[in-house]
Amino acid sequence: TLPAVARASEPHALAFPFNQRFLLGGWKLLFLDGRSFVPDQSKPADYNRGAYLTEALGHCVECHSKRNLLGGISGGTRYAGGPTPDGKGWVPNITQHADGLSEWTQKDLVYFLGTGVTPNGAPVDEEMGKVIANTSRMSPEDRAAMAAYLAALPRVAGRAPKKN
């Protein structure tokens, strides 16, 4: 629906070795399983809808998890928080562990995904604000489904390191 732009795409500006496309194949072999989403038949429909929205479309795990030296999600740390990509901050734990969202209800999660305001009234930061700009446009049913899935995540310890 938009008119074409008459200019060539800019080349990638990644430094070596990240500018070597063939290395991506090795990374995919190590960290991607290539499987499509399959609903868990033992779970309710809203859980499965939330799992799909959170895992496939929202890919929340990508920011809310620690990474290993090769950039893959570290085993056992899914959704337990991790350093921000620039290394200057911490993305919080979003499991029901005491380090995470154990005090949040599903209603709190739905409200948060719609407004970006935590149960204690604090607004989210810039990066999560960009996410909320999108989740706030979702239907209330989809936000409720995401909340159902997030509330059911296994508890994983993971808190921000203490600042010196």
Side-chain angles (χ1 to χ4, degrees):
T1 62
L2 298 176
V5 175
R7 86 171 201 195
S9 296
E10 293 183 24
H12 294 289
L14 296 172
F16 183 82
F18 304 108
N19 61 353
Q20 304 299 303
R21 286 293 288 179
F22 74 92
L23 294 175
L24 184 58
W27 190 90
K28 286 180 174 181
L29 284 172
L30 290 171
F31 300 113
L32 296 180
D33 62 21
R35 293 181 288 170
S36 296
F37 175 78
V38 177
D40 182 343
Q41 299 303 320
S42 70
K43 303 285 187 185
D46 65 335
Y47 171 94
N48 282 306
R49 177 73 178 156
Y52 175 73
L53 292 169
T54 303
E55 296 285 347
L57 298 180
H59 56 273
C60 304
V61 73
E62 297 301 326
C63 289
H64 288 276
S65 304
K66 290 181 184 174
R67 296 195 172 268
N68 62 28
L69 290 174
L70 296 177
I73 306 243
S74 296
T77 67
R78 290 179 63 81
Y79 295 107
T84 56
D86 64 8
K88 296 178 181 175
W90 188 262
V91 180
N93 183 332
I94 58 171
T95 72
Q96 292 294 310
H97 191 275
D99 296 338
L101 305 179
S102 63
E103 303 295 318
W104 291 35
T105 65
Q106 278 187 242
K107 187 177 175 182
D108 292 335
L109 288 165
V110 172
Y111 183 77
F112 175 77
L113 292 169
T115 65
V117 177
T118 67
N120 67 0
V124 294
D125 68 9
E126 282 182 37
E127 293 305 311
M128 189 63 193
K130 293 174 187 174
V131 174
I132 297 297
N134 290 305
T135 58
S136 68
R137 292 185 180 111
M138 297 170 77
S139 71
E141 296 81 14
D142 280 349
R143 286 194 301 272
M146 287 182 75
Y149 178 72
L150 291 169
L153 288 174
R155 290 173 166 86
V156 182
R159 75 174 58 186
K162 292 184 179 176
K163 295 180 181 180
N164 294 336

